[in-house]
Amino acid sequence: MRALTKQLGDVIPVPASVRPITDATFTIIRGTGLTCEPEVIGVAEFLSDALEKATGHPVPIGPGGAIRLGLDPSLAAEGYTLEITADAVTVRGGTPQGLFWGVQTLLQLAPDLPGGVIEDAPRYEYRGAMLDLARHFFTADEVKAHIDQLVQFKINHLHLHLTDDQGWRLEIPGWPRLTEVSGGPGTGVDGAGPGFLTLDDYAGIVAYAAARFVTIVPEIDMPGHVNAAQHAYPSLTADGQPVPQRTDAEVGYSSLVAGKEETYAFVEDVIRTVADLTPGPYLHIGGDECLSTPPGDYRTFLSRVLPLPGKYGKRVIGWHEIAAVELPENAIVQYWRIEAADENTARAALDGRRVIMAPADRTYLDMKYDADTRLGLDWAGLVDVRRSYDWDPADRLPGVGEEALLGVEAPLWSETLRSVADVQYLTFPRLPAIAEVAWSPRAARDWESFRGRVAAFGPRWDAAGVAYHRAPEIDWPR
Ligand code: TNX
C-alpha cells in the first residue's frame, strides 16, 4: 500500500519545479494565522474559509500570521512560488490569479505541509472544462459547485454549452419563448432535463467564476443544433412552419436558414445579448455537425456570423468545422474529433489561428471508462484514466504544434446524465488527468506518478461527497 505521508510534489497538476527540504514540516494548527498584502485580500479570504472547512478551526486574517500571501511581479501572470519552512508558509503569485493557483497547491498539501520550495506556472493559458446544459440542465448552484471542484486542479475556463436541439438554457430578452418553451418542462434528452438560466442566474455564475479566476465561455451553437430555437420560433425554419420538440439524442438534422434575413436578426440579437452579459473575452458559436446544412449555405452563414462576436467585443471560438471557411484573424478553432489529422485545422494553424485541443478519444468526459460504465457514450472509443492522461496536445494533430495551441479542454456532453452525481462520476478522476496535461511541463508528467498522486484524492472526494469513479487502474487508499 502507498505511504500516506505527503511529499512536497504530491500535487495535481504536478508543479514545474519542486525542491524538498526533508527535515522541515509546517503543520496548520489551531491558532495558525494568515497575513496578506492588501491587493490580495480576496484570495486570503478564500484560503481562510477553505482552511477553516478543512481543519475545523478558524484561520484568521491579520498581522503576524505564519501563512503569508503576496504578489511577485517578476513571476508569470498565472505563476506562483510556495515556500514552506518549519515556521512559515509563503505563497506569492505573479497576479492574484497566480496566487490563487498557489493557494490550490497549498490546500492540496494541507494540513501537514512538507518543507521546501515549489516554483510553478502553466504550460497553456487556456485550461478548460465544458458542461452541456442543453441536453440536461444543471442549475446555477450546481454549476457553481462544479466550479469549486474544477479550480482545485487549476482549470481556468468553464465553457457552457447553452443551446442545442433539446433545449435553450439562457434567457434572451426579446425572445421569451426560447426559454419559456424550450427551457420549460419536458425539455432535455428524454424530457428529463428541464430548466434555464435567468439573466440573474447567468450573472451569478459569471461573478462566482470570476471570484475564483475562472472565465465563463458561453456557447450558442449554430447553424446546426437549433431545433429548440426553431420549435420556439417557427419564423426560424425554412418554410416558417412549426417543428416539434425533440428529446432524442440524434444530431445533425436541424439548421438555421442561411438565405433568410430573419436568421441574422435573431443571431445578431442573441450574440449581442450574450456578449453584453459576458465579461470574458470569448464567445463560442458552435458550428459543429451541420449535416443538414448544404456546404454553400454553411459558408454563407458563417461568413456573416463569424465577425459578429468581434463586432460586440468578443473573440470568436468555433468547433473545428469552422476551419472549412475563411476565419477572422483572431478566431479560435476547437478540435474535437478522433481522426489522426485534420487539414482544415492544420491550415488554420499555419495561418496563425490558435487551437484548443479537445480530441474526443482523449478529453471527452462523456465517453465510457470501460465497457461496463453505466453512463456515457462510446462513439470515440472507451477512455480510461490512462488514455485521458497519456498523450500530448502538441503531438495530436500534424501541423498543429505547441505555438498554435491556446490550450486544452475536457468537454462533458450530457445526453446520458441525470444528476450532479453523474457529472462527478464522469469528471473524476479524468479531469485531473487532463488538467495536468494542460498545466504541467511535458517532461514533468509521468503516468505512474500521476496514478499515485490521484489516489490521495479518493478520501477527499469521499469526505466531500463527490461521486468519483474508483477506476481499477488506481490503488485507492481503503
Ligand atoms: C458530438 S463534439 C457533438 C455533440 C454530442 C457529442 C457526444 C461536438 C462538437 N458535437 O453534439 O453531444 O458528440 O459525445
Side-chain angles (χ1 to χ4, degrees):
M1 215 183 108
R2 178 191 148 69
L4 286 172
T5 341
K6 276 215 186 254
Q7 309 285 310
L8 185 60
D10 284 351
V11 172
I12 297 176
V14 68
S17 153
V18 177
R19 297 199 308 276
I21 310 172
T22 38
D23 56 350
T25 299
F26 180 95
T27 300
I28 298 171
I29 53 170
R30 183 174 297 279
T32 301
L34 184 51
T35 297
C36 73
E37 292 171 1
E39 311 88 292
V40 296
I41 183 73
V43 180
E45 284 166 354
F46 177 94
L47 178 59
S48 171
D49 283 353
L51 285 175
E52 177 164 355
K53 275 189 204 113
T55 63
H57 46 75
V59 180
I61 301 171
I67 303 176
R68 302 158 192 165
L69 306 186
L71 297 177
D72 175 351
S74 75
L75 300 174
E78 286 194 275
Y80 69 89
T81 57
L82 169 60
E83 206 180 314
I84 300 162
T85 67
D87 314 312
V89 174
T90 309
V91 198
R92 293 197 185 83
T95 61
Q97 186 179 30
L99 178 67
F100 186 73
W101 305 135
V103 157
Q104 300 308 319
T105 297
L106 185 164
L107 286 168
Q108 286 191 14
L109 295 168
D112 295 303
L113 297 147
V117 178
I118 290 179
E119 293 173 324
D120 202 7
R123 178 172 172 186
Y124 296 118
E125 66 181 82
Y126 187 106
R127 305 177 305 280
M130 189 208 84
L131 189 58
D132 173 4
L133 299 193
R135 274 59 174 270
H136 187 91
F137 181 68
F138 295 96
T139 66
D141 284 345
E142 290 170 341
V143 174
K144 290 175 188 171
H146 191 54
I147 291 172
D148 284 331
Q149 294 301 324
L150 298 175
V151 294
Q152 296 176 34
F153 302 99
K154 305 185 174 75
I155 292 295
N156 65 354
H157 290 81
L158 178 62
H159 168 184
L160 294 176
H161 184 75
L162 292 166
T163 68
D164 213 299
D165 291 315
Q166 301 87 344
W168 186 287
R169 309 303 186 184
L170 177 64
E171 184 182 0
I172 303 290
W175 300 85
R177 288 176 55 82
L178 288 172
T179 42
E180 279 169 22
V181 173
S182 290
T187 59
V189 169
D190 295 343
F196 65 89
L197 300 174
T198 64
L199 297 178
D200 275 356
D201 289 336
Y202 184 75
I205 291 173
V206 163
Y208 191 90
R212 286 151 188 76
F213 302 94
V214 169
T215 298
I216 296 295
V217 180
E219 179 187 351
I220 306 294
D221 202 351
M222 56 184 115
H225 294 274
V226 293
N227 191 72
Q230 292 179 321
H231 173 61
Y233 288 98
S235 59
L236 297 174
T237 67
D239 56 9
Q241 292 306 303
V243 292
Q245 181 185 65
R246 292 273 298 252
T247 59
D248 58 283
E250 215 26 65
V251 296
Y253 60 85
S254 63
S255 180
L256 290 173
V257 185
K260 221 174 158 175
E261 278 314 301
E262 285 94 327
T263 297
Y264 302 101
F266 169 72
V267 165
E268 185 155 355
D269 231 22
V270 170
I271 287 180
R272 182 177 29 76
T273 302
V274 176
D276 284 352
L277 295 172
T278 304
Y282 305 119
L283 203 158
H284 200 308
I285 55 99
D288 58 316
E289 296 178 317
C290 296
L291 310 179
S292 62
T293 317
D297 286 4
Y298 185 76
R299 275 166 197 286
T300 304
F301 178 86
L302 279 188
S303 64
R304 287 195 56 178
V305 170
L306 282 169
L308 291 177
K311 179 173 171 187
Y312 296 105
K314 301 297 164 190
R315 191 166 169 189
V316 68
I317 308 180
W319 299 107
H320 68 263
E321 285 94 323
I322 67 165
V325 317
E326 207 183 315
L327 297 174
E329 219 158 87
N330 66 353
I332 296 160
V333 173
Q334 179 164 15
Y335 182 74
W336 64 272
R337 282 205 59 90
I338 61 176
E339 275 73 34
D342 186 73
E343 240 176 74
N344 289 337
T345 305
R347 191 174 13 81
L350 185 68
D351 290 347
R353 306 301 182 279
R354 304 297 291 279
V355 175
I356 296 171
M357 230 358 123
D361 55 333
R362 301 290 183 172
T363 72
Y364 268 32
L365 299 174
D366 64 313
M367 291 302 121
K368 291 177 181 293
Y369 290 95
D370 57 47
D372 296 330
T373 309
R374 178 178 61 86
L375 302 167
L377 307 173
D378 60 5
W379 66 261
L382 301 171
V383 180
D384 63 16
V385 182
R386 185 167 188 165
R387 268 195 79 72
S388 62
Y389 185 81
D390 238 346
W391 65 289
D392 197 81
D395 289 347
R396 185 56 183 78
L397 280 186
V400 186
E402 188 72 358
E403 10 21 272
L405 293 173
L406 187 68
V408 176
E409 184 177 286
L412 179 53
W413 302 96
S414 60
E415 289 94 331
T416 66
L417 309 185
R418 297 295 178 267
S419 67
V420 166
D422 291 352
V423 170
Q424 294 171 342
Y425 187 80
L426 291 174
T427 299
F428 300 106
R430 285 183 294 200
L431 185 279
I434 297 157
E436 183 154 311
V437 170
W439 174 285
S440 304
R442 189 172 184 167
R445 289 204 286 121
D446 172 69
W447 164 248
E448 281 306 321
S449 154
F450 177 79
R451 220 177 132 248
R453 282 177 286 120
V454 79
F457 284 87
R460 289 189 174 214
W461 286 326
D462 286 331
V466 172
Y468 66 104
H469 170 54
R470 285 180 74 86
E473 64 266 50
I474 315 286
D475 295 326
W476 302 101
R478 293 166 17 89

